[in-house]
Amino acid sequence: EAGVTQFPSHSVIEKGQTVTLRCDPISGHDNLYWYRRVMGKEIKFLLHFVKESKQDESGMPNNRFLAERTGGTYSTLKVQPAELEDSGVYFCASSQAPRDWGGYTFGSGTRLTVV
Amino acid sequence: SQQGEEDPQALSIQEGENATMNCSYKTSINNLQWYRQNSGRGLVHLILIRSNEREKHSGRLRVTLDTSKKSSSLLITASRAADTASYFCATSGNTPLVFGKGTRLSVIA
């Protein structure tokens, strides 16, 4: 089966611009998660979808970040306007079982560089 | 909030040697997982140990869990150059997976 797919793999944008990251989970996985790793720091949870609904968005840093999962399939994470501190690697993961079961499948990540 | 903290932050060893990484966390958990990230690539799930388990093996990996000390260790035996990567522990409880900052392992051929 295909794994979790993220694109683009790398994005370089200027401060103030908009970037949209996409994640295609494993087919049939209702649970989709976004995480990010800012340079040199820990990997932090952003939000969790169950199908098309936001189950937990407690990790979203501010209202410049907007995540959607229309139709409960792929998800997008938009950053508008991007700031320098948004640079990092954004990971997406999916799972069949709810979040506390563990064993997520992660994508390869999108490396975002804001200059 | 609970948080995995890996130790050491960086580790450099010769091929064939064993590598041990430690992780501490703060609150009660359902399970603890270890992930690997190769440079520029995604996170790969290595092993999961449940809170009622004390030790688990998978190939060259050995994980221990001490819930009384809120700590875990990951041992990689007979390391290879391909093991060079960042290793993260992540705790799972009533909150989403919480990761630490990771240990950067370099295996020198």
Side-chain angles (χ1 to χ4, degrees):
Chain A
E1 67 178 0
V4 176
T5 305
Q6 291 186 249
F7 50 93
S9 59
H10 193 182
S11 179
V12 181
I13 62 171
E14 292 184 351
K15 177 182 173 181
Q17 289 186 323
T18 298
V19 63
T20 300
L21 313 180
R22 172 168 168 153
C23 169
D24 286 66
I26 292 173
S27 179
H29 281 193
D30 288 340
N31 296 274
L32 185 149
Y33 317 83
W34 283 97
Y35 285 80
R36 76 170 178 177
R37 185 185 186 199
V38 174
M39 186 63 68
K41 297 191 176 181
E42 64 266 37
I43 300 168
K44 285 197 170 182
F45 167 79
L46 296 178
L47 86 160
H48 169 210
F49 281 101
V50 177
K51 296 184 180 179
E52 68 275 8
S53 299
K54 293 176 184 175
Q55 182 75 12
D56 181 350
E57 54 183 327
S58 60
M60 294 289 266
N62 50 61
N63 59 10
R64 295 186 294 104
F65 289 75
L66 175 64
E68 294 180 322
R69 193 183 181 194
T70 306
T73 54
Y74 70 91
S75 174
T76 58
L77 179 64
K78 180 190 290 187
V79 185
Q80 179 182 27
E83 298 290 344
L84 298 179
E85 64 263 26
D86 300 332
S87 295
V89 182
Y90 289 76
F91 295 102
C92 174
S94 71
S95 69
Q96 286 183 319
R99 64 188 184 200
D100 59 354
W101 175 78
Y104 301 173
T105 302
F106 279 84
S108 297
T110 293
R111 182 174 296 276
L112 175 64
T113 303
V114 182
V115 298
Chain B
S1 62
Q2 61 192 29
Q3 183 174 22
E5 296 274 352
E6 289 90 344
D7 154 52
Q9 292 186 350
L11 180 62
S12 183
I13 60 174
Q14 296 289 326
E15 201 167 32
E17 293 181 336
N18 296 341
T20 300
M21 290 160 271
N22 303 298
C23 167
S24 61
Y25 57 93
K26 297 179 181 177
T27 63
S28 61
I29 61 172
N30 291 336
N31 62 64
L32 185 144
Q33 304 168 39
W34 285 89
Y35 287 82
R36 181 185 70 215
Q37 184 193 10
N38 290 71
S39 179
R41 298 192 176 185
L43 290 168
V44 175
H45 180 258
L46 295 176
I47 193 165
L48 180 153
I49 185 165
R50 301 191 186 283
S51 59
N52 60 353
E53 297 177 311
R54 293 295 169 259
E55 187 171 315
K56 201 162 183 180
H57 297 254
S58 176
R60 294 185 295 113
L61 305 180
R62 173 179 169 252
V63 170
T64 63
L65 179 64
D66 187 336
T67 53
S68 67
K69 295 181 179 178
K70 292 186 168 59
S71 67
S72 172
S73 68
L74 171 67
L75 168 68
I76 303 174
T77 60
S79 64
R80 306 166 182 168
D83 294 330
T84 294
S86 291
Y87 291 82
F88 298 88
C89 70
T91 52
S92 176
N94 293 323
T95 57
L97 271 187
V98 180
F99 288 85
K101 293 183 182 181
T103 292
R104 176 67 188 168
L105 174 65
S106 298
V107 181
I108 302 167

